[in-house]
Amino acid sequence: MKRRELLTAGGASVLGVAALTSTVRAEESITWKMVTSWPKGAPGVGTSAQRLADHINAMSQGRLQVKVYGAGELVPPFEVSDAVQQGTAEIAHSTPYYGAGKNPVYHFFTTIPFGLDASEYEAWLLEGGGQALWDEVYAERGLKGFYVGSSGLQAGGWFNKEVNEVSDFKGLKMRIAGLGGQALRQLGVNAVLLPPGEIFQAMQTGAVDAAEWVGPWNDLAFGLHKVAKYYYLPAFHEPGPALEAVVNREAFEALPDDLRAIVQAAARATAIDSNAEFRYNNIIALERLLADGVQVRDFSDQIIKALHDALQPILAEVRASSPLAEQVYDSYMAFLQQAVQYSIRMESVMFQQRALVFG
Amino acid sequence: MKRRELLTAGGASVLGVAALTSTVRAEESITWKMVTSWPKGAPGVGTSAQRLADHINAMSQGRLQVKVYGAGELVPPFEVSDAVQQGTAEIAHSTPYYGAGKNPVYHFFTTIPFGLDASEYEAWLLEGGGQALWDEVYAERGLKGFYVGSSGLQAGGWFNKEVNEVSDFKGLKMRIAGLGGQALRQLGVNAVLLPPGEIFQAMQTGAVDAAEWVGPWNDLAFGLHKVAKYYYLPAFHEPGPALEAVVNREAFEALPDDLRAIVQAAARATAIDSNAEFRYNNIIALERLLADGVQVRDFSDQIIKALHDALQPILAEVRASSPLAEQVYDSYMAFLQQAVQYSIRMESVMFQQRALVFG
């Protein structure tokens, strides 16, 4: 029943204002379009988007109805936050650094090389002031971002020859995106950005010598182990990329209190779901890759140090890009320094002790 | 407005059945008592209980009203799940292994020595079949458990002298609970269980030589660094203790669909909140402890191997306790084996690389 029908119905006034409001609320249904940067149902990322919509729809009993659109259905994959800004859609599922061309500080809300892992990022975001800074950054575009999980520590990439020293990178042609690619360029790598669908063939034909995609689960699905001999683990460049739900601030604020609470909690519930999905499948997939004879390597200390050095002027430029970027950088880096000290005395030791007893 | 008043109000029939139902639903309010194993508002655990209640209350707009009771207010801390089983309360916030006296397999749903860390446990629980096994275990008592976060990797404990070899444990009097205490007993430790409020004094007076409590955040709050010289990190015995919300299955199933969805998502949202709270505060607290001159040590390889050996007959006994315990053990251990292989090639390497570049 619509508000109009109710108001004109004879005798409705006996219900009093309170009941009237409740009825109208229960009957009203708001529809939100969710545009996404991924093909519908794509493993990990597309499933995360659908889960977020499902949580909201179930908890609101359809009072807030979210309909998911795959990449390109309404808008291209890298323009989803623009669509939300303009009001073409109310919500997007994506990752902040897809908008880094607009503002390089967005990198900090996805991941940065040698940065926080997923659980450390959650700590900084939810307890260490990160969310308030993110809100300030996105408010410039009338947006609000919610964390909806992480794809976890990424793989370093597939290589058709070993890289033992910094000099081995010289002239190497590699598919790699973002700040990691920028750091590798300083070491003489010809870093190129191929669309996902072209990575396999480029490795197979030798058009590139190396390529990074996501992690064991998604890499296995792409068949990259069939066209490269060495798997470098882990990534230096993406310790825990965050996924986001980005909403139009006006549309969000127009929601009644309970629906705002539902959107917020749905995002957090989705974060646990997605973290678990990526972690589980990556663990299973790595075992399969190892059973398949994949040669795992890690980057040498010399290479790691050179990459970290190469990164410093790049990050300094991000920091210098705006006063707000400086605040984000300083807050993130202060916590990172503490997190590094913690993890090397805690998680890192535990993992080695477990490996000792489990062989 | 109550259903009775509405039904007797003249003219109400013009609204039709649909609107009537909606009105009644919006007006009905269900109250749940939440009993907890912690003092109200206790850092990390008490705050997690309150957050879960807040999420449910806000999202349901009070249609499901959860009221939190601290330990001892309605029932003693270790009897909360009994209270839920008997219907004295509808929901409890606790941790599964507090009921291990009833069924030793409960340990697997909190944590076991050398077991899964928090994010691996989430992966096993939500994607690897763990939740279905937990449901089966708890169904025996008419209960259903929801994961609501982890206090993270624990500390090994505070010692007033160094333990370098297995023989150093002989005759040591230590406050330590659970399976860790049982393993240490095999090494000659006099493992005792003191209530939290007595740990500080027992260390100060020398009544015990060593004591474990939680992790840096909660240990710092207890002032344990003032009465012990060496801080052994990390714990071998609790890699990621899980917190639970345990509900009366009948009360849960009596809820309408949307409130069931709200309880489930509220638990997951609380999990992210609590993980972040523990992680953030532990990181900050460890820095303070180090600045305060605390001497951090880790257990030697010899000790770790001896503890793992000592643990095997204890875990075998848990496995043999019931056919369902056997299923839980086998499922958990199969995933743990894979998780160990993954973490040693991924997270462990990343933490060391970060420590290398950040000094």
Side-chain angles (χ1 to χ4, degrees), chain B residues 231-307:
Chain B
Y231 198 21
Y232 276 78
L233 297 178
F236 73 95
H237 63 296
E238 299 195 334
L243 301 170
E244 69 176 346
V246 50
V247 299
N248 181 294
R249 195 172 267 273
E250 237 174 75
F252 182 68
E253 280 165 9
L255 295 176
D257 289 352
D258 61 329
L259 291 183
R260 278 208 304 275
I262 281 174
V263 170
Q264 190 141 10
R268 296 203 181 171
T270 302
I272 280 280
D273 295 340
S274 293
N275 288 350
E277 189 182 21
F278 275 106
R279 178 59 63 113
Y280 180 79
N281 287 294
N282 275 326
I283 287 173
I284 301 298
L286 181 59
E287 196 191 41
R288 287 210 192 124
L289 291 170
L290 291 172
D292 222 50
V294 164
Q295 298 290 308
V296 170
R297 296 286 181 275
D298 55 82
F299 296 122
S300 66
D301 288 358
Q302 188 216 25
I303 289 173
I304 289 297
K305 281 182 186 166
L307 286 167

Side-chain angles (χ1 to χ4, degrees), chain A residues 52-268:
Chain A
L52 176 60
D54 291 346
H55 277 306
I56 296 171
N57 296 346
M59 288 196 280
S60 72
Q61 231 179 352
R63 283 170 50 225
L64 177 55
Q65 192 70 40
V66 180
K67 188 167 159 34
V68 180
Y69 295 88
E73 279 191 66
L74 286 186
V75 291
F78 299 121
E79 292 170 28
V80 294
S81 72
D82 299 304
V84 172
Q85 186 178 353
Q86 290 147 17
T88 312
E90 291 79 12
I91 186 167
H93 190 287
S94 184
T95 184
Y97 72 5
Y98 283 171
K102 290 184 174 64
N103 186 346
V105 82
Y106 288 8
H107 280 293
F108 283 86
F109 299 100
T110 296
T111 191
I112 65 158
F114 302 109
L116 301 169
D117 77 3
S119 76
E120 293 162 350
Y121 176 75
E122 290 164 10
W124 175 70
L125 192 77
L126 304 180
E127 295 283 329
Q131 182 75 53
L133 289 165
W134 194 17
D135 285 350
E136 217 177 321
V137 168
Y138 269 19
E140 292 172 354
R141 293 172 59 206
L143 301 174
K144 179 167 169 63
F146 296 96
Y147 172 72
V148 289
S150 169
S151 50
L153 174 57
Q154 309 282 292
W158 297 88
F159 288 71
N160 60 21
K161 60 164 194 155
E162 287 186 89
V163 284
N164 298 309
E165 300 174 31
V166 172
S167 58
D168 293 336
F169 279 112
K170 204 153 191 106
L172 193 90
K173 194 165 177 188
M174 180 171 185
R175 189 272 177 198
I176 181 167
L179 296 175
Q182 290 183 43
L184 280 167
R185 268 191 205 110
Q186 309 299 312
L187 270 52
V189 169
N190 178 6
V192 294
L193 189 51
L194 300 172
E198 293 175 23
I199 299 174
F200 180 87
Q201 210 194 346
M203 280 298 289
Q204 194 176 35
T205 60
V208 295
D209 307 302
E212 64 85 39
W213 174 225
V214 182
W217 180 30
N218 302 83
D219 290 3
L220 176 68
F222 266 29
L224 292 172
H225 57 298
K226 293 178 191 152
V227 288
K229 194 166 168 193
Y230 302 104
Y231 197 22
Y232 276 77
L233 297 179
F236 73 96
H237 63 294
E238 299 196 334
L243 300 169
E244 69 176 346
V246 50
V247 299
N248 182 294
R249 194 172 267 274
E250 236 174 77
F252 182 68
E253 281 164 8
L255 294 176
D257 290 351
D258 62 329
L259 292 183
R260 280 208 301 278
I262 281 174
V263 170
Q264 191 140 9
R268 296 202 182 172

